[in-house]
Amino acid sequence: MMQIPLATYRIQFTPNFGFIAASSIASYLEKLGISHLYASPILTSRKGSSHGYDAVNPREINPELGGVEKFEELIEQLHSLNIGWVQDIVPNHMAFDSENEMLMDVLENGIDSRYRDFFDIDWNHHYPENNCKVLAPFLGKFCGDCLESGELQIQYEQKGLTINYYSHKFPIRIESYNQVLTYDLQRLQEKLGRDNPAFIKFLGVLYTLKYIPSGEEGREREIQINFVKRMLWELWNDSEEVKEYIEENISIFNGEVGKAESFDLLEDLLTEQFFRLAYWKVGNEELNYRRFFTVNDLISLRIEDQEVFETTHSLILQLVEEGKFDGLRIDHIDGLYDPAQYIDRLREKVPDVYLIVEKILEPQEELPVTWSIQGTTGYDFLNQVNGIFCAQLNEQKFDDIYHRFIGKTASCEQLIDQNKRLIIEKHLAGDIDNLAHLFKKISGRYRYASDFTMYGLKAALVEILAVFPIYRTYINSGGASSADKEYIEQVMTQAKKNIPNFLNELSFIEKFLLLEYDEHLAEEDREEWLRFLMRLQQFTGPLMAKGVEDTVLYVYNRLVSLNEVGSHPTQFGVSLEEFHHYNSKQIANWPHTMNTTSTHDTKRGEDVRARINILSEIPDEWEQNLQQWREINAPLKDYVGGRDIPTFNDEYLFYQTLLGAFPFSQEEYPAFVERIKKYIIKAIREAKVHTAWLKNDSDYEDGFTNFAERVLKDSEDNQFLQAFRPFQEKIQHYGILNSLSQALLKLTSPGLPDIYQGTELWDLSLVDPDNRRPVDFKKREKYLEEIQSQSEAHLPDYIAQLLETPEDGKIKLFLIYKTLQARRKYLDLFQRGTYEKLTVVGSLKSHVVGFSRELGKQKIIVIAPRFFTSLVEMGKYPLSEQVWQETRIVPPSDSTSIWQDVFTGQQVEGEDALWVRDILQHFPVALLVNKQLTADS
């Protein structure tokens, strides 16, 4: 039977935190209440990889993490603790790297490689220079410049001849060995003599090279190549004269800097290869392989091919069969040619495995119910639970404050449109060009489309992609769902309004997108038609990710806690009604989906967002502080090139970031300043307004980081810190309360909770790599031991102590521990129980998030307050009658009158109403268990 996790704990494996390190925390995870370790990719990736999403060998467990031996030991230990394993797998891409032997085989053998169809390469590209080659856009300048500066060098080693560019190694095709090995062959003959055994053997190598088979004789070709390489390596090691001869020839081919003509030999050699070395910017415009988003060194797989699927999944499926993987997390499902086909194929192989997908759902978008999965990785929940802590009533005030501060209005929708078009133009131009050429080829076969120009078709495609409102549709050979049709119709309606001069092209493309085949269409043409559509769907996702997630979310800074993966920053919060409706749908459709609040990809740690959300409650106070800080810090800005650095928009982001991430401890302050400076560089490069990854503006970057250093200088006369700290401490206090409510909601809402490594204490991380810093697990183990011992002996006193010193994070760990123990105790209730929003009565009802979970006679109630700034004074907790007055909840029907709080152990009584003042006497949130449930358990 399928194992549905009780709770997962995400581990980011790195060479510095491998299987041995994970083994050391296994016992801690079990005590905390974790049922499944949720692992980042563990198959062999590039050496030194800090994330594992750049696999080079999908048939091997990464030796840098400890290899198969330490993995087996860790699995055995976890099983002894009844902890399972959910594995993150990456079906979309691998690293474009010399360590990737399958890809190197393709670069060496081209269309004769047995892996030629493994990677998503267009071997018949419309640009002749890419035809039957793989573009390799990794050079730091033009290829000719790299050649004449001596940066391209032939090298020989046991695997054969390669052309190297720093750490990059590109294997030379076997047919080109003759050029290097026969250059001035007379020289070697004179040195050794015609009858010398080494020379005879060398001639044998050259003879064999002339008759290397190709085409259908793939296996024979491979045998011959291996034979030649082995013989050549033996000669290299056994004959000093042969070695010197090859070294001299290599030196001649590598040329002499300052003599342009000396590089002619190497240039000729380059033209013969199955790869085309090019300046990295060429990758954005003339690419003939599909990448992961816009990352040149991640090449996509053709996972839709059965052989590719079987080869790349063989080890994964084996580990499932052996009971070592209980669940799989599919990375970047939207990048696949046919996600539904992939899921069906995988589910057929692993019918009883817990299966989730990394899927970004836009507001109002639904996960396809036909997918045989348990749900998503939880970004949809993250944005729902985050949104209910944003005071929606203050949206207009926040708009006004933001616009006044930056000195202009800012439309998020316009920014999205502008930046999606920017990404199309600068980063995905080659991808769009490839689509347009494919479409031109197809349209030329139809009399009513034969006059369409490349310009017109490309303009229509760009418009469709730019206005696409979601990551992608999932139309395939089986047709389009009603939801997909609605999105296509919405897109086409908007595109026709935007570019009415291209109505014919748009109408023709619309037929393609909806697969409205002409009756007389031949089967071959239908397949081409479908291929175009499937290709198009693969590129709407990267465009949305790069244009919105990695650009607009760093530009539109109205309230940056809302700028999160899967969010839409125009949506200023979520109503309680929407939150309850969302949870009710999850119970009906995806009861075992994953709920998260932090991941390795989130823009801010969960407690950073919780703090920044407080600003939405106090807009006037926020603006007062903003104005004061701006005046204090104005003299600290650099003035370069006619502009103040940073701009007001970046300064606005800066202050929110400081409030969200400011450390609890003064000991962490120096490291915090350095983290902020690194974050600034990433944020402004991602924004692509004043600087960018592709073209750095060092004046702006240095000016901003210098500003941050001056503003954050740790000195007694720092006027900014004097003015900032009181407000920061206020935000910090209320942020703690937000965080506790948020954590409880994640742990008890429909679905299962995922805890990102280390976030059981305060998570004040920023975007990666900041959120992948080492975790102090010894501190967490020590805290948990204390919580376990104290909560059994002196619970009321211990809770009071936790509330007195919230800065150490023990209070959050206490909440998580207690709730996970309750989940473990009442597992069926949490996994199969119903969800009902509670009726809250009283003047403070908008401050209470309340719901019940029920299974038969078993019932629990969850109470999580919000909007604390108008509930309690700074430094106080929302406890007792003085705060809650007459506010009360209506308990579920058929429940007994007595409830017990999981956190405090106290009992609360009420038949028709439960008074919040009685419930929240000692702890800021509550998890109430009906006495009937206690008795039955």
Side-chain angles (χ1 to χ4, degrees):
M1 290 182 61
M2 183 182 296
Q3 283 190 35
I4 304 298
L6 179 150
T8 57
Y9 192 94
R10 172 70 178 207
I11 290 292
Q12 290 298 114
F13 282 110
T14 72
N16 295 322
F17 191 94
F19 301 136
I20 294 175
S23 179
S24 69
I25 65 168
S27 178
Y28 161 73
L29 296 180
E30 189 277 331
K31 291 173 185 174
L32 181 60
I34 299 300
S35 69
H36 286 71
L37 186 148
Y38 170 27
S40 64
I42 63 167
L43 303 183
T44 299
S45 55
R46 265 190 294 227
K47 283 185 174 62
S49 174
S50 62
H51 49 76
Y53 290 96
D54 47 1
V56 295
N57 185 353
R59 293 172 287 192
E60 178 185 62
I61 291 176
N62 196 342
E64 287 196 307
L65 304 182
V68 65
E69 180 183 349
K70 296 304 176 185
F71 169 74
E72 298 278 3
E73 291 176 5
L74 174 57
I75 286 289
E76 186 176 345
Q77 181 186 11
L78 292 173
H79 284 180
S80 72
L81 296 168
N82 293 317
I83 295 178
W85 189 292
V86 175
Q87 182 58 53
D88 192 345
I89 62 173
V90 189
N92 181 67
H93 56 268
M94 292 177 68
F96 197 132
D97 191 274
S98 56
E99 297 174 43
N100 185 343
E101 293 186 1
M102 291 193 297
L103 180 60
M104 291 305 104
D105 191 276
V106 173
L107 298 188
E108 184 175 1
N109 295 291
I111 57 175
D112 287 323
S113 171
R114 58 175 167 155
Y115 299 112
R116 58 161 289 176
D117 294 325
F118 271 57
F119 300 96
D120 204 341
I121 299 165
D122 183 358
W123 290 104
N124 299 304
H125 199 248
H126 46 272
Y127 290 129
E129 53 268 41
N130 286 346
N131 205 25
C132 293
K133 293 177 182 283
V134 181
L135 185 70
F138 300 108
L139 305 182
K141 50 191 176 185
F142 290 140
C143 187
D145 293 334
C146 290
L147 187 70
E148 292 189 7
S149 64
E151 293 172 82
L152 299 180
Q153 295 279 296
I154 299 177
Q155 180 180 316
Y156 176 68
E157 55 189 23
Q158 186 172 3
K159 289 184 178 181
L161 288 166
T162 57
I163 295 176
N164 295 4
Y165 177 72
Y166 297 102
S167 62
H168 292 282
K169 293 184 177 182
F170 302 93
I172 293 175
R173 62 186 294 187
I174 199 70
E175 290 83 355
S176 294
Y177 278 47
N178 260 315
Q179 277 199 50
V180 179
L181 298 180
T182 61
Y183 185 80
D184 195 10
L185 184 60
Q186 186 68 26
R187 190 175 79 251
L188 180 61
Q189 179 180 326
E190 290 174 357
K191 183 177 290 188
L192 289 175
R194 291 178 59 87
D195 298 327
N196 183 284
F199 185 69
I200 294 172
K201 189 174 182 181
F202 189 74
L203 290 177
V205 168
L206 297 180
Y207 179 81
T208 308
L209 280 171
K210 285 185 177 181
Y211 299 100
I212 295 290
S214 62
E216 296 179 0
E217 303 173 84
R219 181 59 183 154
E220 181 63 28
R221 173 184 173 85
E222 189 176 333
I223 292 172
Q224 291 271 51
I225 289 173
N226 289 335
F227 173 75
V228 167
K229 287 184 177 181
R230 187 170 64 251
M231 295 288 286
L232 193 59
W233 185 245
E234 289 176 4
L235 281 166
W236 174 274
N237 288 287
D238 295 343
S239 172
E240 190 62 33
E241 292 82 3
V242 170
K243 180 179 180 181
E244 287 179 5
Y245 168 75
I246 296 175
E247 286 178 332
E248 288 168 0
N249 282 7
I250 287 174
S251 179
I252 292 168
F253 270 74
N254 284 338
E256 185 179 342
V257 176
K259 294 182 179 180
E261 68 279 5
S262 69
F263 295 98
D264 291 349
L265 290 170
L266 183 53
E267 182 179 18
D268 290 343
L269 191 73
L270 279 171
T271 61
E272 289 187 357
Q273 304 315 308
F274 291 118
F275 53 85
R276 174 194 164 199
L277 291 178
Y279 184 31
W280 62 268
K281 287 186 178 181
V282 175
N284 289 333
E285 299 177 15
E286 296 187 3
L287 201 68
N288 71 333
Y289 65 88
R290 189 169 59 86
R291 305 169 290 184
F292 171 73
F293 291 173
T294 57
V295 185
N296 287 345
D297 59 2
L298 292 177
I299 184 170
S300 294
L301 291 160
R302 293 184 62 251
I303 206 69
E304 63 274 13
D305 184 283
Q306 182 72 34
E307 184 183 359
V308 180
F309 176 89
E310 297 284 355
T311 302
T312 57
H313 286 61
S314 58
L315 179 56
I316 293 167
L317 298 176
Q318 176 189 328
L319 293 171
V320 169
E321 186 178 347
E322 293 172 355
K324 288 158 187 169
F325 289 168
D326 308 294
L328 299 175
R329 178 254 199 201
I330 304 170
D331 179 67
H332 189 40
I333 188 73
D334 282 346
L336 306 187
Y337 187 77
D338 190 345
Q341 177 216 54
Y342 174 81
I343 290 170
D344 289 344
R345 186 174 284 166
L346 185 61
R347 178 56 81 193
E348 184 180 352
K349 297 285 187 181
V350 291
D352 298 321
V353 156
Y354 176 74
L355 202 58
I356 54 170
V357 298
E358 184 204 29
K359 166 64 189 162
I360 307 301
L361 292 166
E362 293 298 301
Q364 313 310 319
E365 184 186 1
E366 301 284 348
L367 189 65
V369 294
T370 54
W371 287 3
S372 183
I373 59 175
Q374 276 56 63
T376 73
T377 53
Y379 289 119
D380 42 338
F381 175 82
L382 181 157
N383 285 290
Q384 287 286 323
V385 76
N386 181 63
I388 60 174
F389 294 97
C390 174
Q392 291 183 293
L393 290 173
N394 291 326
E395 180 174 8
Q396 187 58 55
K397 281 191 173 184
F398 250 78
D399 283 345
D400 295 342
I401 291 168
Y402 180 42
H403 295 157
R404 278 194 293 268
F405 189 89
I406 66 175
K408 60 182 179 181
T409 58
S411 164
C412 185
E413 293 293 358
Q414 287 180 3
L415 286 171
I416 290 173
D417 185 73
Q418 291 167 10
N419 282 285
K420 287 179 76 173
R421 293 177 192 277
L422 171 72
I423 297 299
I424 289 172
E425 179 184 346
K426 290 193 173 182
H427 302 271
L428 292 174
D431 301 301
I432 307 306
D433 192 51
N434 290 340
L435 276 175
H437 274 89
L438 175 60
F439 197 48
K440 173 67 173 170
K441 175 184 173 185
I442 296 171
S443 63
R445 301 174 185 173
Y446 304 94
R447 66 181 65 165
Y448 41 80
S450 59
D451 289 341
F452 288 162
T453 65
M454 179 63 70
Y455 174 80
L457 289 174
K458 191 176 289 188
L461 282 173
V462 166
E463 200 61 37
I464 289 168
L465 291 166
V467 301
F468 222 83
I470 57 174
Y471 271 65
R472 68 166 285 169
T473 49
Y474 300 97
I475 306 168
N476 58 19
S477 57
S481 68
S482 58
D484 286 338
K485 288 179 180 178
E486 286 178 16
Y487 283 121
I488 295 299
E489 289 169 4
Q490 175 186 337
V491 166
M492 298 313 301
T493 299
Q494 187 61 49
K496 289 173 183 178
K497 284 181 182 178
N498 291 355
I499 51 170
N501 291 341
F502 297 92
L503 289 181
N504 290 330
E505 288 89 345
L506 287 168
S507 297
F508 186 61
I509 294 175
E510 186 173 14
K511 289 167 62 70
F512 272 66
L513 298 184
L514 294 173
L515 292 181
E516 295 176 351
Y517 298 119
D518 294 335
E519 291 182 8
H520 64 275
L521 204 64
E523 186 62 32
E524 181 183 351
D525 289 339
R526 286 176 182 251
E527 290 176 2
E528 278 288 283
W529 194 319
L530 179 63
R531 188 164 78 91
F532 167 76
L533 168 62
M534 303 293 274
R535 282 291 186 205
L536 178 68
Q537 291 181 125
Q538 284 182 291
F539 287 108
T540 53
L543 176 57
M544 183 72 82
K546 300 307 295 181
V548 181
E549 185 181 317
D550 290 343
T551 304
V552 173
L553 296 192
Y554 291 93
V555 180
Y556 185 73
N557 297 321
R558 176 179 62 173
L559 185 66
V560 296
S561 53
L562 304 178
N563 293 11
E564 196 47 86
V565 180
S567 73
H568 201 290
T570 57
Q571 187 174 355
F572 197 79
V574 171
S575 70
L576 274 185
E577 196 62 37
E578 289 171 320
F579 178 71
H580 290 308
H581 178 65
Y582 168 83
N583 277 341
S584 296
K585 285 197 305 180
Q586 295 298 83
I587 277 287
N589 298 328
W590 310 104
H592 306 308
T593 191
M594 186 177 279
N595 295 334
T596 192
T597 42
S598 289
T599 76
H600 60 285
D601 279 332
T602 42
K603 304 298 182 186
R604 291 163 187 84
E606 58 194 55
D607 301 316
V608 173
R609 291 194 305 272
R611 285 183 178 183
I612 296 173
N613 277 330
I614 297 296
L615 299 176
S616 71
E617 303 176 39
I618 49 174
D620 295 335
E621 193 174 346
W622 165 232
E623 185 169 30
Q624 290 168 10
N625 279 279
L626 273 175
Q627 296 299 341
Q628 183 185 16
W629 301 340
R630 175 156 70 178
E631 291 173 11
I632 292 172
N633 293 331
L636 303 180
K637 291 188 174 186
D638 286 341
Y639 185 79
V640 180
R643 58 183 174 174
D644 284 321
I645 303 174
T647 62
F648 289 138
N649 189 45
D650 285 341
E651 189 177 359
Y652 193 85
L653 167 66
F654 176 66
Y655 294 138
Q656 290 182 78
T657 303
L658 293 185
L659 287 170
F662 207 86
F664 285 96
S665 169
Q666 182 62 28
E667 292 178 3
E668 298 176 31
Y669 189 76
F672 167 72
V673 174
E674 293 305 310
R675 288 172 50 218
I676 287 292
K677 287 162 59 180
K678 291 177 182 177
Y679 171 76
I680 283 171
I681 296 299
K682 175 155 187 173
I684 60 178
R685 285 183 180 177
E686 294 281 25
K688 305 171 187 67
V689 177
H690 307 290
T691 185
W693 295 107
L694 303 186
K695 189 177 181 181
N696 306 152
D697 184 331
S698 58
D699 287 341
Y700 193 84
E701 293 181 358
D702 293 344
F704 200 165
T705 54
N706 290 339
F707 173 77
E709 274 192 353
R710 295 169 192 143
V711 166
L712 297 175
K713 184 179 180 182
D714 190 9
S715 63
E716 293 182 3
D717 60 350
N718 186 326
Q719 290 183 318
F720 167 72
L721 287 180
Q722 291 172 12
F724 176 77
R725 286 307 299 272
F727 188 64
Q728 182 274 322
E729 288 169 358
K730 178 175 183 175
I731 297 298
Q732 175 178 296
H733 172 71
Y734 290 118
I736 287 171
L737 300 177
N738 263 3
S739 292
L740 295 177
S741 289
Q742 176 179 252
L744 179 62
L745 293 173
K746 177 177 75 172
L747 293 163
T748 54
S749 290
L752 61 95
D754 170 49
I755 298 172
Y756 182 67
Q757 59 180 29
T759 60
E760 58 272 38
L761 298 184
W762 302 127
D763 177 23
L764 300 181
S765 299
L766 298 167
V767 73
D768 72 283
D770 193 60
N771 61 12
R772 305 187 197 194
R773 289 171 293 146
V775 176
D776 186 347
F777 283 107
K778 288 185 177 179
K779 177 198 286 188
R780 286 158 176 77
E781 290 177 50
K782 179 182 175 184
Y783 284 179
L784 183 58
E785 288 174 4
E786 176 189 304
I787 287 168
Q788 288 178 314
S789 61
Q790 292 293 327
S791 61
E792 292 176 5
H794 311 287
L795 188 55
D797 292 340
Y798 188 61
I799 288 175
Q801 179 185 326
L802 293 175
L803 294 175
E804 285 178 12
T805 58
E807 60 276 0
D808 58 19
K810 289 179 189 175
I811 191 170
K812 183 181 181 185
L813 180 59
F814 171 81
L815 182 154
I816 291 171
Y817 167 70
K818 283 289 191 179
T819 309
L820 289 181
Q821 299 310 306
R823 282 189 70 94
R824 178 178 286 174
K825 187 174 184 180
Y826 311 123
L827 180 60
D828 286 346
L829 170 65
F830 279 102
Q831 290 192 341
R832 300 192 291 114
T834 61
Y835 177 94
E836 297 293 337
K837 70 173 184 178
L838 292 174
T839 299
V840 184
V841 180
S843 58
L844 300 176
K845 64 181 182 180
S846 64
H847 291 265
V848 178
V849 184
F851 58 83
S852 67
R853 304 291 309 274
E854 304 178 40
L855 184 65
K857 293 182 179 180
Q858 300 180 346
K859 297 175 175 63
I860 64 161
I861 285 175
V862 175
I863 302 224
R866 62 175 187 157
F867 301 158
F868 298 98
T869 57
S870 55
L871 275 181
V872 292
E873 296 176 2
M874 157 68 179
K876 303 292 185 182
Y877 289 94
L879 306 174
S880 76
E881 180 177 4
Q882 186 177 2
V883 174
W884 292 107
Q885 302 172 32
E886 88 292 5
T887 307
R888 57 202 180 276
I889 62 173
V890 178
S893 58
D894 300 326
S895 57
T896 64
S897 61
I898 299 176
W899 300 76
Q900 186 168 33
D901 185 17
V902 165
F903 302 118
T904 64
Q906 74 176 48
Q907 289 193 351
V908 182
E909 191 167 352
E911 292 187 2
D912 300 322
L914 292 171
W915 298 83
V916 178
R917 66 193 183 207
D918 295 334
I919 299 168
L920 300 180
Q921 289 190 47
H922 306 292
F923 201 67
V925 297
L927 177 57
L928 303 179
V929 180
N930 195 242
K931 183 147 188 181
Q932 178 70 50
L933 175 54
T934 306
D936 288 349
S937 61

